[in-house]
Amino acid sequence: MTQTTLSLKEAQQQAQGLREQINDHNYRYYVLDDPIIADASYDRLMQQLKSIEADFPELITPESPTQRVGAAPLKVFGQIRHELPMLSLDNAFNEDDLNDFDRRVRERLGTDSAVEYACEPKLDGIAVSLLYEKGALMRGATRGDGTTGEDITLNVRTIATIPLKLLGEGWPDRLEVRGEIFMPKEGFERLNKRAKARDEKVFVNPRNAAAGSLRQLDSKITAKRPLDIYCYSAGVVEGGELPDRHADILERFKTWGLRVNPELRVVKGAAACAEYFSRMSEKREALPYEIDGIVYKVNRLALQEQLGFVARAPRWAVAHKFPAREEMTLLKDVEFQVGRTGAITPVARLEPVFVGGVTVSNATLHNMDEVARLGLKIGDTVVIHRAGDVIPKVVRAIPDRRPADARDIELPERCPVCHSDVERDEDEAAARCTGGLYCSAQRKEAIKHFASRKAMDIDGLGDKLVDQFVEKGLVNTVADLYKLGAEPIASLERMGKKSATNLVNALKASQKTTLARFIYGLGIREVGEATAQSLVAHYRDLEAIKSATVEQLQEVDDVGPVVAAHIETFFKQEHNLEVMDELLKVGVHWDEDTGQEEGVDQPLQGEVWVLTGTLHTMTRDEGKAVLQKVGAKVTGSVSAKTTALLAGEKAGSKLTKAQNLGVRVVTEDEFIVLMQQWGV
């Protein structure tokens, strides 16, 4: 009988029979690793099914093996909130960590007996959640942040090793299966080989290839990628029961057509876990997929429940990571990068080397203390360390390979971006650019700080708008804010004429400020609100502050030698002075300033206060600022001249001394009541 003469009923029967055969062969091939027909025979069965479905499209079901080719491209992934959070695991990096984990488990369980653990490789892939209802695959989601993931249902349906319909019987009405989607090494090599032949970008490692494939908006592309899965646990279970041991659950998964790692083993005690780890370490390179460690889980679910969770990780499981991959290469040069806060970081430029799954040509050196600790010179042969997604770093030099012309690594005296002075405190590892108002590397952060509520308080100037101003070249320094008109602002994303006009008005309103707010808004290192107010209270005038020496600045309450040096250095930078002059030209101004906020009474005028302990409703600096606003002088030590002590939690020797001297002690709750009375 030819297909064209089939009746609908006959076609339905044949299609169902072919689907059952194909699903059975998929199970034998992917789950049991025991195929019983040749690939060509399998292909003929699939072709017969496709032919019937082509003639009788009404027979096509979502669970049909033919429906893995992908659907129409999405514009964006939807979000799926996990009904049960997908928790991360704590890490063990050596056998001592493993023994500590086992000890904690036994202590919490109140037993000296060896605990039974399920051990399995930790795949270097993408964690996913698969939800089956009545045995049919309904949705797939990425782990995301553990609470919410991306809806990748169309993509997971294209992966041949994920059953669209569970086999057998006895599965719960609703079953969430969790697993790791990965790309096998062989498939990764084939994918990159094809990409090279087409002069396309290649993937750096199988994990990135899997992630990129799984996050394609066009599932037809995903369908062409060699993705695989191993299932490692259950999430939501409704309308049915699962076995009471983790390993038995995974064995049950296999009978339903779900892939489970064949290296799964059940052992007793930490020593047996360590032995399994050692065996898998030796076997690692021969495995057809990448792994980065071993996961140990307490096998009995009742004990898992008894152990519970801590933070975002279960107490009953741990990931024992393999040692990070290391390689040697040449340190060709060191360049200095300027971060958004002015920190200057040395970066190693390396002879490219493949380590930890990626080609590394740059590595962080953190700071000059680290350079000194490692004893590095340009030209050295160095060891590069990369662990997972961690930024590669230089861990040591090989002195025996140092060439005669190796050069010292020296911190630049001038910022490599804006050429302002570079300063470095003796007790601080990081060096910093002092051109905070001008340096383009710090531009966004400088503007955001200047516009903040406690500085110039520019209403409506949020972070995203600042980003657009800088990226489109509308604002190069904070002074440029006051040169903006409504028209260029209105052209920006999510802005209109009304919003633009409101912002221009807010900028005009902010031009009248106080000297203390202005000083704080400049972003001088370690000059907060309280210090800015102390400076103004002492000098009353911007020019006086600008011209003060380090020695003179230390006469100000609470300004020590380090802060004084930061202030003096800031005002020595020509670029900073130019920006301040420009701010005054565009209309920023203030009245005669005593360092106190307008409209605030001075009920504590002449009083001396000290703060100690931990405050919960505010920081110590905020408490100090409040006291200074209402006229108090704030000092760092208790003496007979002290009027009152604001004592937070865990107040120590200052509280004892205040009590001995009969100094008034104010609790945080009492202070909040006083603040309300003062109107601050």
Side-chain angles (χ1 to χ4, degrees), residues 319-362:
H320 190 172
K321 305 297 286 289
F322 289 128
R325 306 289 176 87
E326 295 183 346
E327 293 290 348
M328 290 192 300
T329 190
L330 181 67
L331 176 59
K332 297 167 65 177
D333 201 358
V334 172
E335 296 179 4
F336 290 85
Q337 294 182 344
V338 185
R340 60 185 178 84
T341 61
I344 295 178
T345 304
V347 178
R349 303 303 185 197
L350 308 165
E351 188 71 40
V353 60
F354 194 76
V355 54
V358 301
T359 299
V360 173
S361 55
N362 304 311

Side-chain angles (χ1 to χ4, degrees), residues 247-324:
D248 293 341
I249 291 174
L250 298 188
E251 287 298 320
R252 184 71 57 84
F253 278 2
K254 288 170 63 175
T255 68
W256 295 333
L258 296 162
R259 291 261 284 166
V260 173
N261 197 302
E263 301 296 336
L264 171 69
R265 298 290 184 274
V266 175
V267 304
K268 281 192 174 184
C273 288
E275 183 179 349
Y276 177 88
F277 181 88
S278 179
R279 288 201 310 271
M280 293 307 301
S281 297
E282 295 173 359
K283 195 174 182 179
R284 181 182 182 186
E285 294 300 327
L287 293 173
Y289 44 81
E290 293 283 356
I291 63 174
D292 57 8
I294 302 298
V295 176
Y296 311 115
K297 298 176 183 175
V298 173
N299 197 32
R300 288 182 56 196
L301 268 59
L303 298 184
Q304 290 184 10
E305 185 173 352
Q306 185 177 337
L307 289 164
F309 305 85
V310 56
R312 296 176 61 85
R315 288 194 176 103
W316 42 264
V318 72
H320 190 172
K321 305 297 286 289
F322 289 128

Side-chain angles (χ1 to χ4, degrees), residues 246-531:
H246 174 76
D248 293 341
I249 291 174
L250 298 188
E251 287 298 320
R252 184 71 57 84
F253 278 2
K254 288 170 63 175
T255 68
W256 295 333
L258 296 162
R259 291 261 284 166
V260 173
N261 197 302
E263 301 296 336
L264 171 69
R265 298 290 184 274
V266 175
V267 304
K268 281 192 174 184
C273 288
E275 183 179 349
Y276 177 88
F277 181 88
S278 179
R279 288 201 310 271
M280 293 307 301
S281 297
E282 295 173 359
K283 195 174 182 179
R284 181 182 182 186
E285 294 300 327
L287 293 173
Y289 44 81
E290 293 283 356
I291 63 174
D292 57 8
I294 302 298
V295 176
Y296 311 115
K297 298 176 183 175
V298 173
N299 197 32
R300 288 182 56 196
L301 268 59
L303 298 184
Q304 290 184 10
E305 185 173 352
Q306 185 177 337
L307 289 164
F309 305 85
V310 56
R312 296 176 61 85
R315 288 194 176 103
W316 42 264
V318 72
H320 190 172
K321 305 297 286 289
F322 289 128
R325 306 289 176 87
E326 295 183 346
E327 293 290 348
M328 290 192 300
T329 190
L330 181 67
L331 176 59
K332 297 167 65 177
D333 201 358
V334 172
E335 296 179 4
F336 290 85
Q337 294 182 344
V338 185
R340 60 185 178 84
T341 61
I344 295 178
T345 304
V347 178
R349 303 303 185 197
L350 308 165
E351 188 71 40
V353 60
F354 194 76
V355 54
V358 301
T359 299
V360 173
S361 55
N362 304 311
T364 181
L365 292 172
H366 299 293
N367 50 58
M368 292 304 293
D369 283 353
E370 181 71 358
V371 171
R373 185 185 71 80
L374 295 170
L376 293 179
K377 289 180 179 286
I378 296 170
D380 276 345
T381 295
V382 295
V383 176
I384 304 302
H385 170 108
R386 183 179 180 274
D389 293 329
V390 177
I391 297 171
K393 64 179 181 178
V394 177
V395 292
R396 62 183 181 278
I398 311 297
D400 293 346
R401 299 193 180 190
R402 176 170 292 163
D405 61 350
R407 293 180 286 123
D408 290 338
I409 300 169
E410 297 180 353
L411 178 72
E413 295 181 357
R414 297 276 179 176
C415 170
V417 174
C418 73
H419 306 296
S420 296
D421 289 343
V422 170
E423 67 173 1
R424 184 186 180 201
D425 296 339
E426 290 183 4
D427 59 348
E428 188 171 298
R432 296 179 187 274
C433 164
T434 57
L437 285 183
Y438 176 81
C439 184
S440 61
Q442 304 174 63
R443 189 168 292 159
K444 289 182 180 179
E445 291 303 311
I447 295 170
K448 291 172 185 177
H449 176 76
F450 183 81
S452 65
R453 183 175 61 83
K454 295 178 180 179
M456 301 301 285
D457 193 20
I458 304 174
D459 188 35
L461 184 54
D463 290 357
K464 291 184 179 179
L465 198 52
V466 171
D467 292 343
Q468 289 190 74
F469 283 161
V470 173
E471 289 160 8
K472 293 184 181 297
L474 296 174
V475 175
N476 291 320
T477 74
V478 291
D480 292 336
L481 290 169
Y482 296 98
K483 303 174 186 177
L484 291 169
E487 188 173 336
I489 297 174
S491 67
L492 299 176
E493 183 181 343
R494 296 187 178 181
M495 294 295 289
K497 289 184 179 180
K498 184 175 181 181
S499 298
T501 301
N502 289 341
L503 180 58
V504 170
N505 291 337
L507 284 162
K508 288 180 180 177
S510 75
Q511 287 177 310
K512 185 176 189 307
T513 185
T514 66
L515 179 54
R517 281 181 174 271
F518 181 80
I519 294 292
Y520 173 67
L522 297 177
I524 305 169
R525 281 187 66 199
E526 298 190 41
V527 175
E529 296 171 86
T531 302

Side-chain angles (χ1 to χ4, degrees), residues 36-212:
I36 58 174
I37 62 171
D39 289 349
S41 300
Y42 177 89
D43 291 342
R44 281 193 291 271
L45 292 173
M46 184 67 80
Q47 193 54 47
Q48 290 175 40
L49 179 57
K50 288 180 179 179
S51 181
I52 293 174
E53 290 181 346
D55 287 346
F56 299 90
E58 64 269 34
L59 297 180
I60 298 175
T61 67
E63 296 81 29
S64 174
T66 63
Q67 301 305 296
R68 295 188 184 273
V69 294
L74 298 171
K75 292 184 179 179
V76 66
F77 288 114
Q79 299 290 302
I80 289 180
R81 187 172 182 85
H82 300 300
E83 296 178 46
L84 291 176
M86 294 185 70
L87 301 174
S88 56
L89 296 178
D90 286 335
N91 291 322
F93 295 101
N94 50 50
E95 197 164 330
D96 287 341
D97 291 345
L98 168 61
N99 289 331
D100 286 342
F101 163 72
D102 175 65
R103 175 184 52 76
R104 291 193 299 270
V105 166
R106 288 184 288 106
E107 284 177 354
R108 290 190 175 103
L109 294 177
T111 180
D112 293 325
S113 302
V115 175
E116 190 177 78
Y117 294 102
C119 309
E120 53 192 313
K122 183 179 181 298
L123 273 74
D124 198 10
I126 311 300
V128 297
S129 162
L130 307 174
L131 181 65
Y132 288 87
E133 294 183 355
K134 303 296 185 183
L137 178 63
M138 301 304 295
R139 75 175 189 219
T142 62
R143 178 184 179 275
D145 62 4
T147 300
T148 303
E150 291 179 310
D151 185 346
I152 54 168
T153 304
L154 295 179
N155 289 349
V156 298
R157 288 180 63 85
T158 70
I159 301 173
T161 49
I162 295 178
L164 301 176
K165 177 77 174 179
L166 295 178
L167 300 179
E169 58 186 12
W171 15 263
D173 292 341
R174 293 184 83 237
L175 172 65
E176 181 195 1
V177 176
R178 294 176 174 179
E180 196 91 358
I181 289 178
F182 62 96
M183 186 173 288
K185 294 176 183 176
E186 184 179 352
F188 170 74
E189 296 297 336
R190 288 200 312 270
L191 180 65
N192 269 353
K193 188 175 181 180
R194 287 198 302 268
K196 287 179 182 177
R198 298 170 185 167
D199 200 26
E200 297 172 351
K201 183 179 179 179
V202 298
F203 289 99
V204 295
N205 56 46
R207 187 188 187 282
N208 285 357

